[in-house]
Amino acid sequence: MPASQYTVSDVMTHTAVAVGRRASYKEIVEVMTQWKVSALPVLEGEGRVVGVVSEADLLVKEQFRGADPALPDRAGEAVKAAAVLAEDLMSSPAVTVHPAATVSEAARIMARKGVKRLPVVNDVGMLEGVVSRGDLLKVFLRPDAEIEHEVRGAVLGELTPPVPVDCSVEDGVVTLGIGRRGDRALVPLLARAVLAVEGVVDVRMRTEGEEVGGGTTA
């Protein structure tokens, strides 16, 4: 049962703000403030991403202020606190994502790495854009009618043999009505397939007017 697969390219910001390796500390802060972003890709050459400098990287300088630089466990922080250029402040290698990656894959990378934004790079590491957590949430803005159309076509339309199933969508929640109790075996299969449709918040199943559970728990 095929379902939509929104890619990073569908939701990312194609005009990305970035800095060069030799950008100064103050310049980085100014760019972040001007563009209201919490992290910036660091580029070299004609646009290859070599790292990312974030607010957390910059704040080490303030966190280290007044601390004892002689403490062994603060040696790494001391180096970053003394840095004044992007190439010394940045985290490298950068955590990036390809524009053809699915929205789900990008979300998993963000969660695993604990980052809010990802530079989007092509096959040779050149910057093509940036995708943020907010960008990934755009799939949940799909109109209910569009979601219903896809569920009816890509999910219900692929049932073999065909099974009559009512379908409605409200605020991203899909409700499926299955006519016979004998069709209850379809519930887990349909729930998984519908939840794979981008923009679906949850699934509700009803057999002969009785709700048999939501897709998130089926």
Side-chain angles (χ1 to χ4, degrees), residues 12-26:
M12 73 184 194
T13 301
H14 289 265
T15 303
V17 184
V19 294
R21 297 184 69 117
R22 303 295 293 176
S24 69
Y25 186 104
K26 188 170 184 177

Side-chain angles (χ1 to χ4, degrees), residues 74-165:
R74 306 299 297 275
E77 290 181 322
V79 172
K80 184 161 287 192
V84 295
L85 298 177
E87 62 185 1
D88 301 316
L89 289 158
M90 69 184 185
S91 298
S92 182
V95 179
T96 62
V97 68
H98 193 275
T102 66
V103 168
S104 297
E105 289 170 340
R108 287 194 288 269
I109 293 172
M110 286 185 185
R112 187 170 65 249
K113 298 296 185 179
V115 297
K116 300 177 181 179
R117 297 164 60 86
L118 292 171
V120 182
V121 300
N122 62 18
D123 293 335
V124 293
M126 303 294 282
L127 183 67
E128 293 198 353
V130 172
V131 66
S132 68
R133 290 176 178 176
D135 291 328
L136 300 185
L137 291 174
K138 290 176 183 176
V139 296
F140 292 103
L141 298 178
R142 294 185 74 189
D144 289 341
E146 184 178 311
I147 294 173
E148 181 177 339
H149 178 76
E150 182 168 346
V151 170
R152 288 183 180 278
V155 179
L156 303 182
E158 296 295 318
L159 289 176
T160 304
V163 176
V165 179

Side-chain angles (χ1 to χ4, degrees), residues 192-209:
R192 286 194 297 272
V194 172
L195 284 171
V197 174
E198 298 286 6
V200 171
V201 175
D202 198 7
V203 182
R204 298 281 183 256
M205 298 286 189
R206 295 184 183 277
T207 301
E208 294 182 350

Side-chain angles (χ1 to χ4, degrees), residues 64 66-79:
F64 203 78
D68 184 355
L71 294 175
D73 60 345
R74 306 299 297 275
E77 290 181 322
V79 172

